[in-house]
Amino acid sequence: MREKTPPPAIDDLLAAASEDHLRLLESGGYPAERLREMGTTEEGARQARALLTSVPPADETAADGTTLAMLDALSEENRRRLVDASGFGMDALRKLAASGSGARYVRKLLAEHTDVLDVPGESRGARKARRLRFLTEGTPDGPGPGDVVSGWLIMLAAGLVGLVLCAVLTAWIGALTILVAVLYFAVVLSWAGGKVRSSRGSGPALAVFTIAFLAVVAMVPFRTQDWYLAARGVQAQATVVAPRATWSHGHKEEFCQVRLPDGRVRQTEGNDSTCTTAVGSTATVVYDPSDWYGPRFGPSSGNNVDISGGVAVAALVALLAAPVWAVSAARKRKTTSL
């Protein structure tokens, strides 16, 4: 018949415990000397071993007050359950709940040994989600409004900075900006998304925000010039001059050039094959007075920005609305009844 393995000695458990663990027990009224004294009786030794092996390490942030409020509002029955399960008195549990190191331990006790998280008529899935939020966030209904707002502000700022960055880079690298957008999304926006606290409505809001961001950055490299010229461009009559010739891989390429009304000669953005035979003639162009973009043949009404601009504006509105909706939904969360 197999012999039962004797339980570990209290001194061995004390030697194996971390300094943070021992400080946590001491703050709850259980210094090493008292634990050794408890080890002189069978029941006391069982309780001391439970304390030395069940309390988590000090790696949690302090509770936001919800856990402490729950302790103060406990019924006599729940208090008795808690004291029996932990071996701590209520004063010691309050000290633990107010410290960063003991917050998670007290939340675990409340979730497993009391009925404070129960809501009449709530489904099993909802109860499980409520318990998980309480264990990880410190409140049954998720993070507080301040945490939700700060997370979404970071996300919104990261998204807007990304859009502005892509729009500016388009003037220098054109369609290659799409690669920058993908890299920005994979690194910066993913990091910012991690700052968004899980709350009611945060999942759908993140999905809308992500889709809206991708929709805008997908158009920015190809439509920024159209949007800019439609807003800032000047329509004028320009004189077609001799094209600029370059050689690439042994092939000659010619690029149209025009003389603007102010005398500047600029290469056009869109090449027109007729410009090589139209030197000296005049043509309608739209040009940028700030010289960010080269002139383009055709009237200002021909930039075809209505559809793309409408889609971009709608996506931008969705991008701005998603955080507002998520914060509003989080503020409307129900307060758990104790």
Side-chain angles (χ1 to χ4, degrees):
M1 187 175 180
R2 174 182 284 182
E3 295 183 2
K4 293 182 64 175
T5 303
I10 301 301
D11 283 335
D12 292 340
L13 291 175
L14 284 169
S18 67
E19 292 183 6
D20 289 335
H21 195 159
L22 294 175
R23 279 197 298 269
L24 171 61
L25 291 173
E26 187 173 356
S27 69
Y30 288 89
E33 294 78 9
R34 183 178 177 186
L35 291 170
R36 289 191 180 96
E37 290 178 6
M38 292 169 61
T40 58
T41 65
E42 183 177 349
E43 178 60 25
R46 182 193 65 76
Q47 193 177 54
R49 292 189 188 97
L51 291 170
L52 286 165
T53 58
S54 64
V55 180
D59 59 355
E60 296 297 316
T61 57
D64 63 358
T66 303
T67 306
L68 199 55
M70 283 185 167
L71 284 174
D72 291 337
L74 286 177
S75 65
E76 287 301 323
E77 175 63 20
N78 279 327
R79 291 182 185 223
R80 184 187 62 76
R81 293 180 189 173
L82 212 57
V83 171
D84 290 345
S86 66
F88 286 105
M90 290 305 298
D91 289 340
L93 288 170
R94 287 189 184 91
K95 290 181 180 179
L96 291 174
S99 69
S101 56
R104 184 179 180 183
Y105 175 60
V106 177
R107 294 201 294 267
K108 187 171 184 291
L109 289 172
L110 286 168
E112 294 182 352
H113 299 287
T114 71
D115 56 12
V116 294
L117 297 179
D118 294 346
V119 175
E122 196 171 42
S123 67
R124 181 179 179 183
R127 284 198 301 271
K128 184 177 180 181
R130 180 181 295 277
R131 181 177 182 276
L132 180 61
R133 285 195 299 268
F134 182 58
L135 292 174
T136 58
E137 299 284 355
T139 167
D141 297 301
D147 294 327
V148 174
V149 170
S150 61
W152 275 108
L153 284 177
I154 293 173
M155 187 67 172
L156 183 59
L160 294 178
V161 168
L163 296 181
V164 172
L165 177 65
C166 290
V168 172
L169 287 179
T170 301
W172 282 286
I173 60 177
L176 289 178
T177 304
I178 196 70
L179 299 179
V180 177
V182 170
L183 183 63
Y184 187 91
F185 177 81
V187 179
V188 180
L189 214 63
S190 296
W191 167 81
K195 299 295 182 181
V196 174
R197 303 294 293 274
S198 177
S199 62
R200 181 176 299 175
S202 63
L206 269 176
V208 171
F209 187 96
T210 301
I211 293 171
F213 179 85
L214 292 176
V216 176
V217 298
M219 290 187 287
V220 163
F222 308 103
R223 292 298 183 185
T224 296
Q225 179 181 336
D226 293 337
W227 299 334
Y228 185 88
L229 289 178
R232 298 263 305 166
V234 176
Q235 182 174 310
Q237 294 296 309
T239 302
V240 180
V241 299
R244 184 174 70 87
T246 62
W247 291 85
S248 177
H249 303 290
H251 297 282
K252 183 180 180 181
E253 291 186 76
E254 293 184 326
F255 297 90
C256 296
Q257 296 189 115
V258 295
R259 179 176 287 105
L260 299 174
D262 59 9
R264 292 179 299 162
V265 174
R266 292 291 183 265
Q267 179 181 311
T268 61
E269 289 289 342
N271 244 359
D272 187 336
S273 59
T274 63
C275 72
T276 57
T277 60
V279 175
S281 64
T282 59
T284 300
V285 298
V286 178
Y287 71 96
D288 172 21
S290 303
D291 227 18
W292 279 88
Y293 296 101
R296 171 174 291 181
F297 287 117
S300 57
S301 59
N303 285 329
N304 192 26
V305 298
D306 292 344
I307 296 178
S308 63
V311 172
V313 168
L316 187 59
V317 169
L319 184 142
L320 296 172
V324 175
W325 181 78
V327 170
S328 176
R331 286 181 178 274
K332 292 178 181 177
R333 72 177 192 260
K334 296 179 180 179
T335 302
T336 303
S337 173
L338 300 183

